[in-house]
Amino acid sequence: MTLGQHLRVLICVVIMGCIVGFVLNGKEIETNSPYIDYIKAQQWPFNEDVLIAEIFDGHYELSYWEYFTARNGQHVVQLTGTNDEQQDIYQFVIEEDYTGFKIGAVKQNNILLPPEQKWPFVKMLTNKKASKSGEFLAGN
């Protein structure tokens, strides 16, 4: 990569870090919330036959779900999963009336993944879940 490309990536990472910092600055953290239950019961966006809870169940040695309201009023469910020396953080931003959600910030070992790395990383969970169950997901 050229120096200019490195600088563009660095600038994108800094901007994304500021955005995540803004979202992470929540008011109150809860570990038992209807928002957590809602996210766990939703279909995995990359394989509608699997629920979000099923994707993460057994994937991490330790997992921790929490909910908070961000400073900007967004409802955020965050999963922190740890395997060996790797820690992954996934944020799910939920619509006010439970009509949907989006996958927000994703961090790997405290490094915020930019979109071009985030989506392949998140989709990889679908492949790992499929390989554990003996299925093969075409197109992934």
Side-chain angles (χ1 to χ4, degrees):
M1 288 174 67
T2 67
L3 180 59
Q5 290 171 323
H6 277 28
L7 288 174
R8 281 191 289 262
V9 169
L10 178 62
I11 290 169
C12 287
V13 169
V14 169
I15 291 171
M16 291 296 291
C18 291
I19 291 170
V20 167
F22 181 76
V23 171
L24 282 177
N25 193 3
K27 296 179 182 175
E28 187 177 321
I29 296 176
E30 300 177 32
T31 57
N32 187 13
S33 165
Y35 287 100
I36 294 172
D37 296 336
Y38 170 78
I39 284 296
K40 287 180 171 183
Q42 295 306 298
Q43 295 173 326
W44 184 242
F46 305 102
N47 180 352
E48 294 181 356
D49 294 333
V50 180
L51 300 180
I52 288 177
E54 294 172 336
I55 286 290
F56 294 106
D57 183 32
H59 181 74
Y60 291 104
E61 293 169 5
L62 298 171
S63 60
Y64 184 72
W65 292 87
E66 55 191 355
Y67 161 78
F68 59 91
T69 302
R71 189 172 18 166
N72 64 3
Q74 290 181 316
H75 299 281
V76 180
V77 171
Q78 178 171 292
L79 168 72
T80 303
T82 306
N83 278 334
D84 298 320
E85 295 181 17
Q86 179 173 327
Q87 183 182 62
D88 301 329
I89 298 173
Y90 305 85
Q91 290 185 344
F92 302 90
V93 181
I94 304 167
E95 300 292 326
E96 179 76 32
D97 55 357
Y98 293 96
T99 57
F101 71 95
K102 66 179 180 178
I103 298 174
V106 176
K107 292 174 103 179
Q108 183 180 27
N109 293 327
N110 279 332
I111 297 172
L112 179 66
L113 299 180
E116 62 271 6
Q117 293 177 348
K118 173 176 98 170
W119 295 116
F121 183 75
V122 171
K123 281 181 153 181
M124 169 205 55
L125 290 172
T126 305
N127 293 336
K128 286 187 177 184
K129 179 69 178 174
S131 66
K132 285 183 181 179
S133 68
E135 300 171 12
F136 175 75
L137 297 177
N140 291 324

